[in-house]
Amino acid sequence: MAEEVRDIQAEETASREEVNKLIQVKREKLAQLQAEGKDPFKITKYDVTHHSKEIKDGFDALNGTEVSIAGRMMQKRVMGKASFCNVQDLAGNIQSYVARDSVGEEVYAGFKKFDVGDIIGIRGKVFQTKTGEISVHAQEITLLAKSLNVLPEKYHGLTNTDLRYRQRYVDLMMNQEVKDTFIKRSKILAAIRKYLAGEGFMEVETPLLVANAGGAAARPFETHFNALDEDFKLRISLELYLKRLIVGGLERVYEIGRVFRNEGIDTRHNPEFTLMELYQAYTDYNGMMDLTENLYRYVAEEVLGTTKITYNGVEMDLSKPFARITMADAVKQYSGVDFSEIRTLEEARATAKEHHIEFEERHKKGDILNLFFEEFVEEHLVQPTFVMDHPVEISPLTKKKPDNPDYVERFEFFMNGWEMANAYSELNDPIDQRERFKAQEELLAQGDAEANTTDEDFMNALEHGMPPTGGIGFGIDRMVMLLTDSPAIRDVLLFPTMKSLS
């Protein structure tokens, strides 16, 4: 074992030495170019007429046409008086044929000194090689930026997942599928905005720094604002400010933005993530269910061209009506426990013990129902499913069901066993809301760090009158994960939160 460790360390040392030599050669090449008055970093622009995919897709029309392309040189094969190189741009990559007789002897001599990783521009004519590869026959080639580092496959490859997340710029260079994921993420966001604009929603922006971080059960990050000499928090949700806008008469509003929760990191959680919340006056949680179905179908069709998506080999069909089930019925179906027959907290606790469900002293009957749901139900909700009618104890901002005040008009939307969205018929009774905040503060005093506190300005807004309103929060990152078949949330965040190396 000791010998293996020494061998690995020796290989790493040799690799570092080799890399350092290559870097030194690159810097010497740059110095030579600068001495000759050919500093690539003084070039300010380059006119690109086409991307690689456009040329390949439109070859029949572009064959023999002059084009200008630019990107990173990923391969180079020098063969005497003629060479080939591969240029990678946003859309993919394309081969270029570089011949001394076409670009000139001086330019060709310079090209032979270019390094893999350099940014280059090529002007030339589109053609097809004898082997059938669509290419650009270079007539002019320009070094636009000198790469002074070494691409990763030269020394350690891209098998190191941690390094891929830390150096996303390298990951994007080396893995086209990663680039495609983030291009698709942008298209998903564009499709969401397009759909909501068509439904009359107005996009707004609300504060990230807040005095009271409410609207969700989560622990906030805290900071100090020097200019005001006051402590602030980073928002954990978008809810309370967006509801203020409903009070103000903006009947359909939404925001897509970052929120921050001081909690753990795993394949589905990052402390900084993208949330979309929207609020619509004069509707309820049934209206939010209809909106969710229509939005998911629209985005999938717009971005993927189909309403059938596959995640980790499992197909989920968005074209069918989404299933709807109450939380109590779901728990009964998957655990056999009927909470409608459990009348007291003592009975709920006894049932939890029988089923090995751990609970805390502060937990009430509704909390225990939710614990059963998390333990027995969530993993089974693979196809699109609305789980409705949550207990009032876990829903401090939601209207009670008129016929059963122990429960509220709330649903969570599930796919692939994940919670994808959370929606309410919003509580607009200020008297009831104050009582709910009071109950939350009692939980905070009992040690629940995720409990809400009373937001007096929000209460003041509610007291001016808020119309009946439906509201929903969508986890954008999880939506992107599903639509891109990405295994972890870090795969859909350009720069995920990472522990410092120092």
Side-chain angles (χ1 to χ4, degrees):
M1 184 66 176
E3 288 181 4
E4 290 180 7
V5 170
R6 282 196 297 271
D7 288 343
I8 291 170
Q9 290 173 338
E11 287 178 10
E12 290 178 347
T13 300
S15 178
R16 282 194 298 270
E17 289 176 355
E18 180 186 352
V19 168
N20 290 337
K21 289 177 182 177
L22 291 171
I23 289 173
Q24 182 60 35
V25 170
K26 284 171 171 274
R27 291 181 179 270
E28 289 170 358
K29 288 182 180 180
L30 175 62
Q32 182 64 36
L33 288 168
Q34 292 169 332
E36 295 171 356
K38 301 176 182 177
D39 187 349
F41 296 119
K42 290 188 176 180
I43 296 175
T44 57
K45 62 173 292 188
Y46 188 81
D47 293 327
V48 176
T49 64
H50 294 78
H51 282 86
S52 56
K53 190 173 187 300
E54 291 176 79
I55 296 171
K56 291 179 176 180
D57 291 348
F59 174 72
D60 290 343
L62 290 172
N63 189 11
T65 302
E66 184 176 283
V67 297
S68 292
I69 61 171
R72 189 177 302 277
M73 187 168 68
M74 301 301 289
Q75 293 176 345
K76 186 178 74 167
R77 302 193 310 278
V78 176
M79 300 177 294
K81 297 178 182 180
S83 302
F84 286 94
C85 68
N86 184 282
V87 178
Q88 177 176 284
D89 59 19
L90 174 67
N93 61 76
I94 192 166
Q95 178 177 268
S96 179
Y97 173 67
V98 184
R100 186 187 66 181
D101 293 344
S102 297
V103 299
E105 192 167 336
E106 183 180 349
V107 171
Y108 188 67
F111 167 75
K112 290 198 293 184
K113 294 179 181 179
F114 289 0
D115 292 308
V116 169
D118 288 350
I119 308 295
I120 62 175
I122 293 176
R123 181 177 61 82
K125 292 185 177 180
V126 177
F127 78 109
Q128 194 168 36
T129 67
K130 293 178 180 179
T131 60
E133 184 163 358
I134 296 169
S135 307
V136 175
H137 187 151
Q139 297 170 316
E140 180 184 276
I141 186 162
T142 307
L143 180 61
L144 301 173
K146 185 69 185 166
S147 171
L148 299 179
N149 214 321
V150 181
L151 292 183
E153 83 272 21
K154 290 285 186 181
Y155 57 101
H156 55 58
L158 279 180
T159 56
N160 187 325
T161 303
D162 185 79
L163 185 64
R164 287 181 51 229
Y165 297 146
R166 291 183 187 279
Q167 296 184 11
R168 182 67 83 186
Y169 43 92
V170 178
D171 193 21
L172 291 167
M173 288 179 214
M174 305 307 299
N175 293 317
Q176 183 63 38
E177 66 273 16
V178 172
K179 190 182 293 184
D180 291 342
T181 292
F182 289 104
I183 291 172
K184 198 169 287 183
R185 180 186 175 110
S186 179
K187 290 179 178 179
I188 289 167
L189 289 168
I192 290 171
R193 288 185 164 100
K194 184 178 177 182
Y195 175 81
L196 292 177
E199 294 295 311
F201 281 86
M202 173 181 174
E203 184 172 9
V204 299
E205 295 173 307
T206 61
L208 277 78
L209 282 175
V210 295
N212 187 325
R219 189 192 304 264
F221 288 94
E222 299 182 3
T223 188
H224 185 76
F225 189 177
N226 292 333
L228 298 180
D229 193 24
E230 288 185 10
D231 290 333
F232 277 75
K233 299 177 177 67
L234 292 174
R235 65 186 182 186
I236 60 173
S237 84
L238 314 173
E239 180 167 349
L240 300 186
Y241 280 95
L242 291 176
K243 284 183 179 177
R244 286 168 167 89
L245 300 181
I246 295 291
V247 171
L250 303 181
E251 295 182 359
R252 298 188 182 201
V253 295
Y254 78 96
E255 180 174 7
I256 298 174
R258 287 291 177 120
V259 296
F260 308 85
R261 298 183 181 179
N262 200 348
E263 54 192 23
I265 297 174
D266 60 29
T267 56
R268 282 184 286 159
H269 295 88
N270 192 75
E272 175 184 1
F273 64 98
T274 302
L275 182 66
M276 180 179 75
E277 291 196 33
L278 65 83
Y279 293 84
Q280 178 180 342
Y282 311 114
T283 191
D284 61 3
Y285 75 147
N286 292 298
M288 292 297 101
M289 288 187 226
D290 294 340
L291 184 147
T292 301
E293 284 200 40
N294 293 332
L295 175 63
Y296 260 78
R297 288 188 190 120
Y298 177 85
V299 172
E301 192 71 58
E302 187 86 356
V303 178
L304 304 179
T306 178
T307 53
K308 291 183 178 180
I309 64 173
T310 301
Y311 185 84
N312 196 26
V314 177
E315 185 177 273
M316 287 162 270
D317 191 350
L318 298 171
S319 66
K320 299 176 181 178
F322 294 3
R324 303 187 182 196
I325 189 171
T326 68
M327 179 178 281
D329 285 346
V331 167
K332 181 179 178 180
Q333 178 177 332
Y334 290 103
S335 74
V337 175
D338 187 351
F339 266 77
S340 67
E341 296 181 354
I342 297 176
R343 304 298 179 187
T344 66
L345 175 59
E346 290 70 26
E347 290 176 10
R349 287 175 171 173
T351 304
K353 289 177 182 177
E354 288 173 13
H355 289 79
H356 308 290
I357 299 293
E358 294 184 5
F359 59 88
E360 298 178 24
E361 186 64 28
R362 61 184 173 82
H363 283 151
K364 296 183 170 55
K365 176 186 169 185
D367 296 295
I368 293 174
L369 169 60
N370 188 53
L371 292 173
F372 267 82
F373 174 77
E374 291 174 351
E375 178 67 24
F376 290 103
V377 181
E378 284 190 3
E379 64 181 303
H380 298 287
L381 305 178
V382 175
Q383 296 300 319
T385 303
F386 294 119
V387 176
M388 309 178 297
D389 302 349
H390 292 50
V392 67
E393 292 92 339
I394 63 169
S395 310
L397 297 163
T398 314
K399 273 192 174 183
K400 295 175 183 175
K401 293 182 68 64
D403 57 345
N404 190 351
D406 289 340
Y407 294 87
V408 296
E409 293 190 349
R410 171 184 174 187
F411 73 79
E412 289 174 301
F413 173 50
F414 282 83
M415 286 181 67
N416 191 52
W418 303 347
E419 179 197 337
M420 304 298 294
N422 186 23
Y424 314 149
S425 295
E426 302 296 336
L427 180 59
N428 62 343
D429 178 347
I431 297 171
D432 188 356
Q433 182 64 79
R434 187 171 289 280
E435 289 301 311
R436 306 271 195 101
F437 275 141
K438 183 179 178 181
Q440 286 286 300
E441 289 186 341
E442 289 174 359
L443 291 174
L444 189 66
Q446 294 170 23
D448 184 355
E450 297 183 347
N452 286 200
T453 58
T454 304
D455 186 325
E456 288 296 345
D457 183 71
F458 174 66
M459 290 304 309
N460 185 55
L462 274 191
E463 287 165 1
H464 280 78
M466 185 175 86
T469 298
I472 189 166
F474 290 92
I476 295 296
D477 305 308
R478 291 186 187 177
M479 184 182 194
V480 175
M481 286 174 67
L482 278 185
L483 295 180
T484 61
D485 198 8
S486 298
I489 191 171
R490 291 183 176 189
D491 295 314
V492 299
L493 298 175
L494 280 168
F495 301 102
T497 304
M498 305 290 289
K499 185 176 176 61
S500 174
L501 291 173
S502 58

